[in-house]
Amino acid sequence: TAVIELAAATKSYPGGVSALRGVDVRIDQGELVAIVGPSGSGKSTLLNLIGTLDRATSGTVRVAGYDVGGLTDARLSALRARHIGFVFQQFHLAPGRDAVANVADGLLYAGVPAKQRRDRAREALGRVGLGHRLAHTPEELSGGEKQRVAIARALVGEPGLLLADEPTGALDTASGEVVMNLIHALNASGTTICVITHDTEIAGRLPRRVGLRDGEIVYDTRAAVTTP
Ligand code: ADP
Ligand code: ADP
């Protein structure tokens, strides 16, 4: 089943930049996809459309079975809270708040009571291997640990889809590898994942690569992948 389906999707920003010029792509449940391309090619714009953080100028975007164009902003927020987790290059953790509080924030819009939010946050931190860092604030954690906290926050709501924009971009090679191993493990347990990366070595290890250039898909290795 398709988790994501874009047809002739375009995105123009005010001022006239055509960031996406007609993108067709389908991503099925359980896939792990790298989105690659030079700076300015439209990768973040594409991820923002897939994540329903932004709307296409024309064309259709379907996510988790919903035609995004037909939903109000409120319905989109609800869709995101239920189905999509986000990870960013710069972690975006709340300073001075411990790992449990940061991860529990991932359930703020899911209608989960506070006590349960903290219980589920502890469990999610265990899943990313940070069961021993529950009370640490971002200031007390390494870059790789901060990104694992951010991943725990993204997955605490059990989203079917995880979107990561340069998740290793601010990390050294060793921490980046830990984060990518975690992403592979999450995918193996069923989460559909899209990763933007500049790192050709990281992209090369992912089962499918979608290449963007000047707002268009210039290659998609899906043809080479045999899906049963
Ligand atoms: P990438 O992630 O591949 O670097 P982006 O999606 O960020 O590419 O950007 C694609 C194009 O859209 C670039 O020309 C960029 O300058 C432009 N762009 C991105 N965001 C905005 C915005 N909010 N307003 C205007 N132009 C933007
Ligand atoms: P950068 O790659 O420059 O570090 P980020 O990875 O932090 O940027 O963010 C990538 C995109 O996601 C940007 O367009 C930004 O506006 C958006 N973004 C960042 N944080 C959030 C958030 N918490 N919620 C929604 N969108 C966000």
Side-chain angles (χ1 to χ4, degrees):
T1 19
V3 174
I4 296 155
E5 207 160 11
L6 274 71
T10 74
K11 177 68 190 180
S12 302
Y13 288 109
V17 178
S18 292
L20 294 176
R21 302 161 180 269
V23 164
D24 297 284
V25 68
R26 171 185 164 147
I27 296 173
D28 285 338
Q29 197 173 335
E31 284 202 84
L32 171 53
V33 182
I35 297 170
V36 297
S39 187
S41 59
K43 302 184 298 296
S44 294
T45 300
L46 176 59
L47 211 70
N48 286 346
L49 292 192
I50 291 172
T52 77
L53 295 170
D54 206 350
R55 291 173 185 275
T57 305
S58 66
T60 57
V61 176
R62 294 183 68 84
V63 178
Y66 296 92
D67 185 339
V68 165
L71 299 182
T72 61
D73 286 351
R75 296 285 306 277
L76 282 187
S77 301
L79 171 76
R80 279 196 297 278
R82 276 194 54 176
H83 295 284
I84 312 177
F86 294 92
V87 174
F88 301 99
Q89 178 172 353
Q90 299 300 336
F91 321 131
H92 296 294
L93 298 176
R97 305 186 69 223
D98 68 22
V100 170
N102 265 287
V103 173
D105 280 353
L107 292 170
L108 266 182
Y109 306 102
V112 178
K115 162 84 168 72
Q116 265 186 50
R117 287 204 295 272
R118 294 184 63 84
D119 289 345
R120 286 177 60 180
R122 286 188 197 92
E123 184 270 331
L125 282 160
R127 281 171 71 192
V128 301
L130 289 180
H132 59 307
R133 293 282 188 268
L134 301 180
H136 286 56
T137 64
E139 295 76 10
E140 297 166 334
L141 297 170
S142 71
E145 288 172 333
K146 283 198 275 261
Q147 193 59 298
R148 282 148 72 197
V149 172
I151 290 172
R153 180 186 53 193
L155 59 82
V156 68
E158 317 240 326
L161 176 61
L162 182 71
L163 303 178
D165 192 344
E166 296 280 1
T168 63
L171 304 178
D172 60 47
T173 308
S175 308
E177 207 150 287
V178 171
V179 162
M180 286 314 297
N181 287 341
L182 184 54
I183 282 175
H184 278 276
L186 293 172
N187 175 248
S189 67
T191 308
T192 307
I193 306 181
C194 297
V195 183
I196 289 181
T197 182
H198 268 98
D199 189 321
T200 51
E201 203 166 311
I202 285 175
R205 283 189 218 143
L206 301 191
R208 177 179 176 190
R209 292 169 299 285
V210 172
L212 279 176
R213 191 169 204 100
D214 296 332
E216 290 179 315
I217 292 180
V218 287
Y219 63 87
D220 183 344
T221 63
R222 182 174 183 178
V225 182
T226 40
T227 36

